[in-house]
Amino acid sequence: MSIPHSATFMDLDGDCMPDLFLTKTSGTASFYELYIQRSVNKKQMYCLVQTDNFADLGGDSATTVPLIDFADLDRDAMPDMAFYSDSAVYTFYN
């Protein structure tokens, strides 16, 4: 785990099971990883399904992790991600 980092457990795929959202820093970039809980060989496991650099999403490329929040912004019963970076708010719909 990088320092600083953060972790959030929430249902990201609508299956009523907690999934994992991690933020990390590496060198001069901050990024996130999404892990979805799946049943593999009758065991519950977290599987990495997405990772992205916040700079690639339009955010600041500094080593600080942006302030991230989740809410159902488009009222489809799925959590959407919003974050503030570089004097702008970025929204990504689930």
Side-chain angles (χ1 to χ4, degrees):
M1 280 282 156
S2 67
I3 297 176
H5 71 274
S6 68
T8 301
F9 286 94
M10 62 187 304
D11 182 14
L12 296 167
D13 61 354
D15 66 354
C16 297
M17 298 296 291
D19 303 310
L20 178 60
F21 177 85
L22 290 176
T23 58
K24 300 178 178 183
T25 58
S26 176
T28 61
S30 56
F31 60 98
Y32 71 89
E33 294 177 346
L34 293 177
Y35 293 84
I36 303 297
Q37 190 175 151
R38 296 284 185 241
S39 179
V40 178
N41 296 327
K42 299 183 182 181
K43 294 181 183 178
Q44 292 300 111
M45 303 181 76
Y46 285 94
C47 302
L48 177 64
V49 295
Q50 184 174 344
T51 186
D52 211 337
N53 184 312
F54 285 105
D56 292 342
L57 301 176
D60 190 357
S61 63
T63 58
T64 58
V65 175
L67 177 63
I68 301 164
D69 203 356
F70 292 91
D72 183 8
L73 301 171
D74 57 359
R75 299 184 309 157
D76 66 351
M78 297 294 292
D80 305 309
M81 180 175 71
F83 69 93
Y84 177 82
S85 180
D86 219 13
S87 300
V89 175
Y90 299 89
T91 306
F92 295 91
Y93 297 100
N94 188 347

